[in-house]
Amino acid sequence: MTHWYEGPLAAFDTETTGVDVEGDRIVSAALVVQDSAGGRMRVTRWLVNPGVPVPVGATEIHGLTDDHLQRNGRWPAPVVEEIARALAEQSAAGLPLVVMNAPFDLTLLDRELKRHRASSLAGYLENTPLCVLDPRVLDKHLDRYRKGRRTLTDLCELYGVVLDGAHDAAADAAASLELVRAVGRRFATRLERLTPAELHTLQAVWHAAQARGLQAWFTKSGTPETVDPAWPLRPELRAAA
């Protein structure tokens, strides 16, 4: 019997103009598909001219400049639709979608679809909703008392996953996919009897609990930051009355 973490998986990642899912934009994205552990990865890449300036701080992270994106990037509207259709295609084929820190990438994509297509991610997934595996949520639940950061770079180092070219969407997606496989193997006795669909449901509960714990810590330390418990997609902010 092949366990889910050895079977077919897809992975998605974006690079952006910043970290605000409501206002920032996608500048690059990648979808990686692998039919089985150790198999060839099929990679689809998108490069986007976001139509807004890319802050210097963002360029320092992913290396994508305004000039490069204006020369080589495509307009956002057709790109975000292609991405949404590609994710829907993988979902329809029954592949779990690996997304590191899913509420960021999936929410940002949803807002870009609203901005450029007057649509939503849910609109493209109404027949086959995504089944998401988030290595950050999984690791934080399964090894909850371990100290230290849980960025993609940190987790790859911990689990022995090669991350070649961090902050490139394709490299990050591929590493996230391998990371989920590594998490599955390390915690096989706790995960192998669960289906990806069951894990999707559980991760929503686990993330909410993790968010409440982090929110309590922020409150105790006097940090005015709020933590959204929604996973894998944040609800749209209500417009001011």
Side-chain angles (χ1 to χ4, degrees), residues 147-227:
K147 296 185 182 300
R149 302 191 312 165
R150 298 176 193 256
T151 66
L152 179 60
T153 299
D154 296 319
L155 293 182
C156 284
E157 182 176 355
L158 177 70
Y159 285 90
V161 172
V162 175
L163 174 54
D164 187 11
H167 300 298
D168 169 83
D172 286 357
S176 298
L177 189 153
E178 293 292 355
L179 181 57
V180 159
R181 295 198 190 281
V183 172
R185 293 174 189 130
R186 181 170 296 191
F187 296 98
T189 56
R190 299 169 65 182
L191 295 177
E192 62 187 6
R193 291 180 177 83
L194 295 169
T195 66
E198 290 169 332
L199 273 173
H200 178 100
T201 301
L202 287 169
Q203 285 170 102
V205 177
W206 296 343
H207 179 270
Q210 293 162 9
R212 288 193 298 269
L214 183 56
Q215 187 68 73
W217 186 85
F218 282 149
T219 301
K220 184 177 180 180
S221 62
T223 302
E225 189 169 343
T226 57
V227 185

Side-chain angles (χ1 to χ4, degrees), residues 81-93:
E81 178 163 15
E82 285 178 18
I83 293 172
R85 291 189 182 282
L87 298 188
E89 181 181 337
Q90 298 308 317
S91 180

